[in-house]
């Protein structure tokens, strides 16, 4: 272990970090976290349908991009603050915590106003000013592995956040570029047990961006949990063929529900628990009229 790791391995054996979000979702404890939702927030109807479905199936964190890092400047770029409002609203409505990507140092404060967790995308893993900014924010951070990042580079990126004073970092393996284009990326599942040895930080897996093919997502999600992942990040869209981004790798709502049922015995086998859902959560709130939605901490209401 290089001298340069000071914080990412602190108490690696003795005390592991458990990142806890506002709705009780945890990363790094006995209970795993299931983050699910569309690649990008496209409309309140789309997000509402996705949130309702993933909450009903037992997920506890809603994902959805408001600022999208697209390869082409002509592709859908995300709806910005409007999408953040929709995420907060849907999150509160279905008792889901919200994770969403922040791409720009100038947006950190704004995104943190709505989200419970800030995602640093693969393309920004070594955006050092951004890492320092989220380090100063104190909001939990989901740090994706860079497209071609070594484990050392990834952990040193986490070190940037920790050194700024933010201990709430979760690592997310999402595959790396390889010579082979048969799958979108090459999932490095070995980092799950490896990082368990190297750092006290929780590690989750994003099988959607790793494989890029929806029908391969369920078996890889199951394998990730069996390997010891503390959670999953899965793209779910109510109408994948018409998604504005990443439709090919998105599960539809029924496929996600089926996956959640397949996951349960494997999670138990791995010595962990599925997210706890109480009766006051998704099932009931899904049927609650908007006017009765429990009051949000931030009180976001759609116009
Ligand atoms: C995403 O989660 O939608 C995303 C863009 O992921 P990544 O940064 O891993 O490509
Ligand atoms: Mn995506």
């Amino acid at each position: 272990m290089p001298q340069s790791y000071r914080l990412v391995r602190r108490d690696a054996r003795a005390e592991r970090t458990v990142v806890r979000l506002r709705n009780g979702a945890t990363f790094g404890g006995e209970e795993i976290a299931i983050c699910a939702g569309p690649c990008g927030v496209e409309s309140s109807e789309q997000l509402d349908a996705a949130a309702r479905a993933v909450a009903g199936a037992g997920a506890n964190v809603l994902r959805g991009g408001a600022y999208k890092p697209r390869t082409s400047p002509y592709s859908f770029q995300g709806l910005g603050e409007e999408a953040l409002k929709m995420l907060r609203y849907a999150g509160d409505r279905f008792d889901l915590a919200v994770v969403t990507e922040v791409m720009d140092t100038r947006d950190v404060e704004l995104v943190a106003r709505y989200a419970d967790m800030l995602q640093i995308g693969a393309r920004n893993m070594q955006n050092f000013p951004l890492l320092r900014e989220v380090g100063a924010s104190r909001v939990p951070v989901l740090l994706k592995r860079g497209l071609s990042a070594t484990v050392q580079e990834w952990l040193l990126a986490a070190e940037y956040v920790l050194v700024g004073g933010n201990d709430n970092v979760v690592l997310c393996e999402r595959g790396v570029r390889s010579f082979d284009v048969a799958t979108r990326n090459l999932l490095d599942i070995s980092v799950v047990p490896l990082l368990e040895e190297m750092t006290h930080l929780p590690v989750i897996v994003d099988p959607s961006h790793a494989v890029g093919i929806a029908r391969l997502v369920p078996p890889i999600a199951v394998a990730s949990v069996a390997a010891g992942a503390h959670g999953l990040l899965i793209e779910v869209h109510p109408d994948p063929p018409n998604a504005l981004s990443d439709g090919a790798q998105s599960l539809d709502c029924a496929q996600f529900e089926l996956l959640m049922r397949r996951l349960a015995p494997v999670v138990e086998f791995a010595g962990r628990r599925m997210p706890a859902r109480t009766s006051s959560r998704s099932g009931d709130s899904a049927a609650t009229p908007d006017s009765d939605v429990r009051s949000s901490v931030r009180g976001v209401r759609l116009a």
Side-chain angles (χ1 to χ4, degrees), residues 39 63 68 184 209 235 245-246 249:
C39 177
R63 64 144 289 143
K68 295 303 304 173
R184 185 175 181 183
H209 291 87
E235 288 192 337
S245 59
D246 285 350
Q249 68 194 34

Side-chain angles (χ1 to χ4, degrees), residues 26 29-34 60 225 229-231 267 272-275:
T26 56
E30 210 175 290
E31 185 177 300
I32 65 164
I34 304 283
N60 53 356
V225 164
H230 293 112
V267 168
R272 299 244 162 81
R273 279 185 282 113
M274 290 291 273

